[in-house]
Amino acid sequence: MPPFDLPEGDPFGPHNLPYGVFSLSGAGDRTVGVRLGDHVLDAGAAALALGSPYAPLLARPSLNPLLAAGRTTWSDVRRALTAWVTVPAHQATVAEFLHPLSSVTLHLPFEVADYVDFYASENHARNVGRIFRPDAADSLTPNWKHLPIGYHGRSGTVVVSGTEVVRPWGQRKAPTDPAPVFGPSVRLDIEAEVGFVVGAPSPMGSSVALADFRDHVFGLCLLNDWSARDIQAWEYVPLGPFLGKSFATSVSAWITPLDALEEARVAPPQRTHELLPYLDDTVPDAEPAGYDLRISVAVNGHVVSEPPFSSMYWTAAQQLAHMTVNGASLRTGDLYGSGTVSGPAEQERGSLLELTWNGRDTLELPDGKRTFLEDGDVVTLSAWAPGPDGVRVGLGEVVGRVAAPNAGPGGLSAGL
């Protein structure tokens, strides 16, 4: 089938055009690509051939120059790309620079500056509270409805979809153990999340208002926040996640621009607590700041959960506002995660921690039972959003295979 003659309703049609970075069969230079169906367009080469003024932004080995250019340029480049793949006068030139996805190697699409992860799903937070604080009067902590809770993660271990995730080593101590032990995690988990990619920076000492969210955030992608629950539980008090999270965070190879998700914008759930002014999105002129993203989580090809992103209590705009309200600056390439996406139903829980209720229940898979992940397991996150005229907007999937632990420090055995 010719590259421009896509099947009706293709989720990666001209209405989508997510950005990535690729090289031909792993060799040669990396360059910015745009996905069209099951092909990738060498956007930089096409821009040069067409004499586009955007060639200096697209003929690059990373999305960062485009990210830094700002919202007006993002929209202008998107309009140009749409014309290149839809206007017949351009297609003869552009066709030369379309490559089958099967013939290219996809890379981490941007240079990650800082990484922050949030805790924005009320369903997830309540489930965690019920698991670990079953006797508490309220399953939420007292601050949860007043601010988006988050932690600063490790940007250097953000990896692109398809990268193997090695089972991490660390300390763990069960409540009944007399002392901590050291070894590979035995409670390796995933968290189905959405990541937001910052383009335009902000100066230190300033803050980003809710209304300015779309001036700074370029787009979004699926994100898997791998979590070693046993390591996390022992180290967590009093400063929060560290080694239990920092070993790997997987993101999609494709960044969907916010401009492709206009039809997916929705109002967040009803606010149950009065919000401070910098977080208040209930004012009459507030734009819808939620997104209707339909996520699927599969383990070894078997769907185990379908979390709805539209149910998230805290929006990405509120998270950005809170992240900068103290004067912390934004940098091009900053990435922040939504936190685990979980809906109200059991089949909508976005982590194995919730799906198995901290290992109490087993997850039935065609290849056996699970409480947490085993070596060799493959986790796949996929998603779509409503698009124009009823067409779906596909999000790039996130795939990660669990690899057996490496030899530990000093050649320690990796026996579990």
Side-chain angles (χ1 to χ4, degrees):
M1 179 179 293
F4 300 108
D5 188 14
L6 299 177
E8 184 177 356
D10 191 304
F12 291 99
H15 63 289
N16 190 345
L17 300 181
Y19 294 86
V21 168
F22 76 98
S23 61
L24 294 176
S25 300
D29 295 334
R30 300 181 183 188
T31 190
V32 171
V34 175
R35 182 168 177 178
L36 182 67
D38 58 1
H39 284 71
V40 56
L41 171 67
D42 186 334
L48 288 168
L50 292 167
S52 169
Y54 306 118
L57 297 177
L58 297 173
R60 303 296 288 269
S62 167
L63 285 176
N64 286 58
L66 176 61
L67 298 180
R71 183 178 178 184
T72 299
T73 299
W74 303 338
S75 297
D76 290 346
V77 171
R78 178 172 170 78
R79 280 193 292 270
L81 286 164
T82 302
W84 297 351
V85 300
T86 58
V87 176
H90 296 315
Q91 290 180 346
T93 300
V94 170
E96 179 183 350
F97 307 110
L98 279 163
H99 306 280
L101 277 172
S102 59
S103 70
V104 306
T105 298
L106 300 174
H107 304 280
L108 189 66
F110 62 100
E111 299 165 23
V112 182
D114 283 310
Y115 169 53
V116 172
D117 196 33
F118 283 95
Y119 189 49
S121 165
E122 181 175 357
N123 297 299
H124 174 68
R126 287 197 180 278
N127 285 337
V128 171
R130 293 182 183 116
I131 289 171
F132 293 111
R133 300 183 301 276
D135 298 325
D138 190 346
S139 55
L140 295 179
T141 55
N143 60 348
W144 201 92
K145 284 293 184 77
H146 296 279
L147 56 85
I149 296 172
Y151 71 91
H152 202 116
R154 188 177 183 88
S155 60
T157 51
V158 175
V159 297
V160 71
S161 173
T163 305
E164 280 196 336
V165 174
V166 178
R167 184 178 295 274
W169 288 72
Q171 289 192 31
R172 61 180 188 264
K173 180 184 178 300
T176 56
D177 290 343
V181 297
F182 181 76
S185 170
V186 296
R187 292 190 161 215
L188 185 58
D189 197 359
I190 57 98
E191 292 186 341
E193 302 192 20
V194 175
F196 291 85
V197 181
V198 171
S202 65
M204 191 172 179
S206 67
S207 59
V208 176
L210 289 176
D212 297 330
F213 163 71
R214 290 164 61 82
D215 290 332
H216 290 274
V217 173
F218 173 79
L220 56 78
C221 62
L222 292 176
L223 182 152
N224 186 348
D225 184 28
W226 302 88
S227 301
R229 297 300 186 187
D230 43 357
I231 297 172
Q232 180 183 358
W234 174 234
E235 73 180 2
Y236 193 87
V237 179
L239 294 183
F242 187 33
L243 301 184
K245 296 275 194 176
S246 63
F247 59 96
T249 302
S250 297
V251 296
S252 171
W254 300 105
I255 309 301
T256 304
L258 294 187
D259 283 349
L261 295 167
E262 283 299 305
E263 303 296 327
R265 298 174 71 187
V266 293
Q270 183 177 0
R271 304 308 181 191
T272 58
H273 290 60
E274 184 176 354
L275 298 174
L276 291 172
Y278 79 97
L279 292 173
D280 190 358
D281 60 358
T282 65
V283 294
D285 58 346
E287 293 187 5
Y291 286 94
D292 182 8
L293 310 177
R294 321 290 179 87
I295 302 171
S296 290
V297 181
V299 178
N300 300 333
H302 179 71
V303 174
V304 298
S305 177
E306 294 184 312
F309 192 72
S310 59
S311 67
M312 299 294 277
Y313 188 86
W314 295 105
T315 69
Q318 290 171 315
Q319 291 168 342
L320 190 71
H322 186 64
M323 192 163 65
T324 60
V325 74
N326 66 343
S329 59
L330 293 177
R331 294 194 291 170
T332 297
D334 280 354
L335 171 69
Y336 64 99
S338 62
T340 306
V341 183
S342 290
E346 288 187 18
Q347 66 271 22
E348 296 175 336
R349 296 170 179 173
S351 67
L352 297 182
L353 175 72
E354 298 165 87
L355 288 167
T356 70
W357 214 249
N358 198 28
R360 181 195 68 187
D361 307 324
T362 56
L363 195 65
E364 301 287 342
L365 299 177
D367 58 344
K369 298 180 179 180
R370 297 287 190 282
T371 51
F372 292 94
L373 295 173
E374 297 182 1
D375 294 346
D377 283 347
V378 176
V379 178
T380 304
L381 307 183
S382 56
W384 62 273
D389 302 319
V391 178
R392 294 183 176 187
V393 177
L395 272 64
E397 66 180 15
V398 177
V399 180
R401 176 183 178 275
V402 178
N406 294 324
L412 290 175
S413 169
L416 302 182

